[in-house]
Amino acid sequence: MPLMDYFEPPERRIRIEDQWKDMDLDSEYLRNPTMKHEMKVSERDCVRHGVPHYLRNLCTHIAIPLHKCRRLTWYAPHRCKDLQVGYTRCLNNDGYRVRAMVSRRFYELYGVDDGHDHKKNFLDQYRSPHNPLDPANHHGHGGGHGHDDDHH
């Protein structure tokens, strides 16, 4: 932005982030684990924009403009907030989808349906009375801090 733009009235200033203000950042569709999702960005676009392999996922269509916006604003923390929030939500929704798929597959493999009451009972059979991290095992500690409560 040229220096003279700062002397314009605020309603006439052009912000870098406004390039992407009409971009669709909704990623709620990713929360459905039964659908097959495809990337909205092609492999050719990922190569052209220099997206590393570990960032190529279902949220790359938001990551590309986010990184461009960050570079153009010199990584200022108060800039590109809408893109940052959209990208974070997309990653959370994609993570929810992956966890739901893994959970569903786990319970299919072990013959337990996806009812919540069955999960607790199924996992209880693997509890060990020797696990010190299990809150059900107090091991004689009154307060749980390595001392008895009556010796203060």
Side-chain angles (χ1 to χ4, degrees), residues 123-147:
L123 294 176
D124 278 346
Q125 67 185 342
Y126 293 105
R127 280 209 156 141
S128 169
H130 307 291
N131 183 0
L133 301 177
D134 191 351
N137 303 329
H138 297 292
H139 296 294
H141 301 297
H145 297 286
H147 56 81

Side-chain angles (χ1 to χ4, degrees), residues 24-137:
D24 182 22
L25 298 175
D26 182 34
S27 61
E28 287 294 319
Y29 64 92
L30 289 177
R31 293 183 75 89
N32 186 355
T34 59
M35 289 178 52
K36 177 160 176 41
H37 301 287
E38 294 182 12
M39 287 180 58
K40 291 185 176 183
V41 179
S42 68
E43 187 73 22
R44 177 174 287 165
D45 289 337
C46 289
V47 170
R48 189 175 75 217
H49 291 287
V51 178
H53 285 284
Y54 64 90
L55 288 179
R56 295 180 190 181
N57 54 24
L58 295 176
C59 301
T60 307
H61 66 285
I62 302 174
I64 291 173
L66 173 62
H67 292 303
K68 184 174 182 182
C69 181
R70 283 179 174 166
R71 281 193 308 268
L72 291 174
T73 57
W74 296 91
Y75 296 90
H78 60 282
R79 306 287 295 269
C80 312
K81 280 295 181 187
D82 291 339
L83 288 172
Q84 176 63 48
V85 168
Y87 183 64
T88 304
R89 284 184 181 160
C90 184
L91 289 176
N92 286 337
N93 289 334
D94 188 36
Y96 175 86
R97 177 187 63 84
V98 169
R99 286 190 305 274
M101 287 172 37
V102 168
S103 175
R104 174 175 295 189
R105 184 68 180 139
F106 177 77
Y107 289 105
E108 284 175 359
L109 282 174
Y110 292 103
V112 178
D113 65 356
D114 210 8
H116 293 288
D117 54 340
H118 297 293
K119 288 181 182 179
K120 182 178 180 295
N121 297 335
F122 176 73
L123 294 176
D124 278 346
Q125 67 185 342
Y126 293 105
R127 280 209 156 141
S128 169
H130 307 291
N131 183 0
L133 301 177
D134 191 351
N137 303 329

